[in-house]
Amino acid sequence: MTKKKKVPWFWTWVIGSVVFRLILLYFPKNLNLSSRPEVSTPLTSLRRLAEGYWLKQSSVSPYAGSMYHGSPLLLTLLGPLTVKRIEGQPDNLLCGLVFVIADVVSAMLICAAGEKLQVAYSSSLQSLGLRDLSENSERLPSGDFAALAYLWNPFTIVACVGLSTSAIENLMVVLSLYGACSRLAPLAAFGWVMATHLSLYPAILIIPVILLLGYGPDAPPRKLFWQRNRLEVGNSSSSDSYSEEKAKNQLKVANVFSWRPVVSFLLWTLLWSSYILVLCSIYVQQYGGLQELFKRTYGFILTIQDLSPNIGVLWYFFAEVFDFFRNFFLIVFHGNILMMLAPLALRLNHRPCFLAFVYIVISSILKSYPSVGDSALYLGLLGLFAYELKDMQFSFFLLSGYVGVSLLSPVMHNLWIWRGTGNANFYFATAIAYACFQIILVVESVSAMLNHDRTLTKLFTAAVQNVKS
């Protein structure tokens, strides 16, 4: 196995990203990014969180009115920092430092998860006899590239400088995936429970997390391991029982679902969920209890009550639809996410980490209140599969599309809201284009991954024929 190398100047780039964020945080009013609809949503806005904390300090329910709809735990963590000022320093500097730390920790977890994925994938290729491909995959430190892509992604930087709480949500999602890749059930359960508690949509990640814990990190199609196993058994002599037993057990881990870490994960999930519910009930017991909390948070997400513009498509649709059909289309849009889970899980069950990436992109397209922080997360995770997706089509087209939408969205919003020379259709057109580019990204990435698996199958079949001949 070749020795792994770090990306040149890796830590220099990491420190540079931190310094760059700190410089931007010192700009007057943080470039006014916190007021941008692409950055701050009703769920991730720090301004709304500060309003909720002020209501709490005034002995009023933080969910009174329609300002705050986030977690009371997040209110407890960041609320005091919104009112604490350092003389001569920008407002909310302490909150900005929290988001900077969250971004760096997320990047380090992505890097660590990438290293584990790369080691596991390389060993799987070697066990199949595809040593050349194994050496090629080791030459590309995908974990380092993914970490740097996350830190230097303009979406990540904008979300951090714009004081969006999506950095905390992304940290919890990455923590869950890292814990699952490492088969650390308590850590995976904590990350998944917290991510679901903060924004609800990461609940669908329980499928790839369970697959990661049960089967381990991403690997080639399992049918190749069964064929390799049968080939080993067939080549071994009938008297050589040791060789036959070794051939049967050689790839046992790659084919057998391990229930112990999954059961442990479920138990830890129950424990962490109970603990969080107890903390939340204590916090809101004088403001209507958990029923009011669920109504103001998860109910707010599912019913799409706030129709202020964002980079999603649902705000415009539900502003135009008749109230009589509203509940029907709520079921359609939310059910659309659920309908995709099972087919994708069946087809990509041997690549659970990539499956998590696909789920995150789909939820980012169809969620009630999307922001650039959601895109920052899945674009960072995309770097983990740089080797497998190296032949993905339309890469330049997608890059140009993302850049174009990022530049046009503020322009269209300004023409509509401030100059009055446009209308809602101007801004909604950029939202539709953004959704289309995300759909193309999902389709092309899945196609490229399946093509990569077909290439592995062809190479393995050719190798087996050479051995037989």
Side-chain angles (χ1 to χ4, degrees):
M1 182 179 295
T2 55
K3 185 178 180 180
K4 284 194 63 184
K5 295 182 180 180
K6 276 279 185 186
V7 173
W9 308 102
F10 175 78
W11 292 109
T12 303
W13 284 102
V14 172
I15 296 173
S17 68
V18 175
V19 174
F20 186 61
R21 282 167 167 78
L22 294 178
I23 292 174
L24 293 179
L25 284 172
Y26 272 87
F27 270 76
K29 295 184 179 180
N30 299 332
L31 303 174
N32 205 29
L33 291 174
S34 58
S35 63
R36 295 298 313 167
E38 301 89 358
V39 178
S40 295
T41 69
L43 297 178
T44 63
S45 172
L46 190 68
R47 290 182 178 182
R48 289 176 176 253
L49 189 146
E51 178 72 16
Y53 184 73
W54 184 86
L55 292 173
K56 175 67 169 58
Q57 294 300 102
S58 304
S59 300
V60 180
S61 170
Y63 300 105
S66 61
M67 284 300 294
Y68 186 65
H69 300 280
S71 165
L73 302 183
L74 204 59
L75 200 66
T76 305
L77 173 65
L78 297 177
L81 301 181
T82 60
V83 298
K84 192 171 184 179
R85 300 287 187 268
I86 302 177
E87 187 176 354
Q89 302 297 329
D91 295 343
N92 296 320
L93 177 63
L94 295 177
C95 291
L97 293 177
V98 171
F99 297 143
V100 171
I101 294 172
D103 278 350
V104 174
V105 175
S106 298
M108 294 301 102
L109 290 174
I110 290 175
C111 180
E115 291 178 354
K116 292 183 178 297
L117 287 173
Q118 193 167 15
V119 170
Y121 191 66
S122 177
S123 62
S124 298
L125 291 177
Q126 287 190 2
S127 64
L128 291 174
L130 304 175
R131 290 181 174 80
D132 293 339
L133 288 178
S134 174
E135 293 176 358
N136 292 336
S137 66
E138 288 177 353
R139 292 194 185 100
L140 182 65
S142 56
D144 297 347
F145 281 120
L148 293 180
Y150 181 79
L151 283 176
W152 283 99
N153 189 333
F155 290 160
T156 315
I157 297 174
V158 166
C160 177
V161 178
L163 303 176
S164 169
T165 59
S166 59
I168 307 295
E169 299 172 6
N170 292 347
L171 173 60
M172 294 298 107
V173 173
V174 174
L175 184 67
S176 176
L177 294 178
Y178 170 75
C181 288
S182 305
R183 290 198 167 183
L184 300 174
L187 190 62
F190 175 77
W192 180 79
V193 169
M194 283 301 300
T196 303
H197 171 67
L198 292 176
S199 59
L200 184 62
Y201 288 97
I204 63 178
L205 295 180
I206 191 171
I207 297 175
V209 167
I210 288 178
L211 291 175
L212 273 169
L213 291 169
Y215 285 118
D218 295 23
R222 293 191 183 88
K223 63 180 181 180
L224 301 184
F225 293 96
W226 288 111
Q227 293 175 11
R228 178 75 175 181
N229 195 4
R230 288 196 297 269
L231 180 64
E232 293 276 347
V233 174
N235 291 338
S236 61
S237 60
S238 57
S239 59
D240 192 359
S241 59
Y242 171 77
S243 177
E244 185 174 346
E245 187 68 22
K246 180 181 177 182
K248 288 182 179 180
N249 296 330
Q250 212 172 24
L251 303 171
K252 185 177 181 181
V253 177
N255 294 285
V256 178
F257 189 86
S258 178
W259 284 101
R260 174 175 290 185
V262 174
V263 173
S264 177
F265 167 78
L266 296 176
L267 292 176
W268 277 103
T269 298
L270 181 62
L271 179 63
W272 287 121
S273 301
S274 303
Y275 183 61
I276 290 175
L277 287 177
V278 169
L279 291 180
C280 291
S281 64
I282 294 174
Y283 191 90
V284 298
Q285 61 180 349
Q286 56 182 338
Y287 306 120
L290 290 177
Q291 183 178 358
E292 181 69 12
L293 171 65
F294 292 152
K295 178 183 176 182
R296 295 289 188 170
T297 54
Y298 303 142
F300 179 78
I301 294 173
L302 294 175
T303 56
I304 317 180
Q305 300 173 14
D306 193 314
L307 300 179
S308 56
N310 54 58
I311 59 173
V313 296
L314 300 189
W315 64 273
Y316 187 89
F317 182 86
F318 283 100
E320 299 292 335
V321 74
F322 291 111
D323 289 339
F324 179 78
F325 298 102
R326 181 180 176 84
N327 291 334
F328 169 74
F329 283 107
L330 284 174
I331 296 174
V332 169
F333 280 109
H334 292 306
N336 197 17
I337 300 177
L338 300 178
M339 289 178 62
M340 300 184 195
L341 300 184
L344 287 169
L346 292 174
R347 188 64 184 87
L348 297 171
N349 63 85
H350 61 290
R351 295 189 180 274
C353 198
F354 180 74
L355 179 65
F357 157 77
V358 175
Y359 281 0
I360 292 172
V361 182
I362 291 174
S363 65
S364 299
I365 299 172
L366 295 173
K367 71 189 307 183
S368 305
Y369 310 103
S371 70
V372 294
D374 305 313
S375 302
L377 175 60
Y378 69 70
L379 289 176
L381 295 177
L382 182 64
L384 295 175
F385 317 101
Y387 176 74
E388 292 87 346
L389 302 180
K390 62 183 183 298
D391 296 326
M392 188 175 76
Q393 297 181 349
F394 306 116
S395 300
F396 181 76
F397 174 72
L398 286 171
L399 176 62
S400 302
Y402 272 86
V403 173
V405 169
S406 302
L407 296 178
L408 282 176
S409 182
V411 174
M412 296 302 177
H413 186 265
N414 180 269
L415 291 175
W416 172 31
I417 299 296
W418 300 110
R419 296 185 179 273
T421 56
N423 53 42
N425 294 324
F426 284 49
Y427 190 71
F428 182 59
T430 60
I432 292 178
Y434 183 66
C436 291
F437 285 122
Q438 293 181 97
I439 293 172
I440 295 173
L441 176 63
V442 172
V443 173
E444 290 303 319
S445 60
V446 172
S447 298
M449 184 62 74
L450 295 179
N451 288 335
H452 179 75
D453 286 343
R454 294 188 188 101
T455 301
L456 291 180
T457 303
K458 292 179 181 178
L459 293 175
F460 176 74
T461 303
V464 169
Q465 291 176 353
N466 290 335
V467 171
K468 290 181 177 180
S469 60

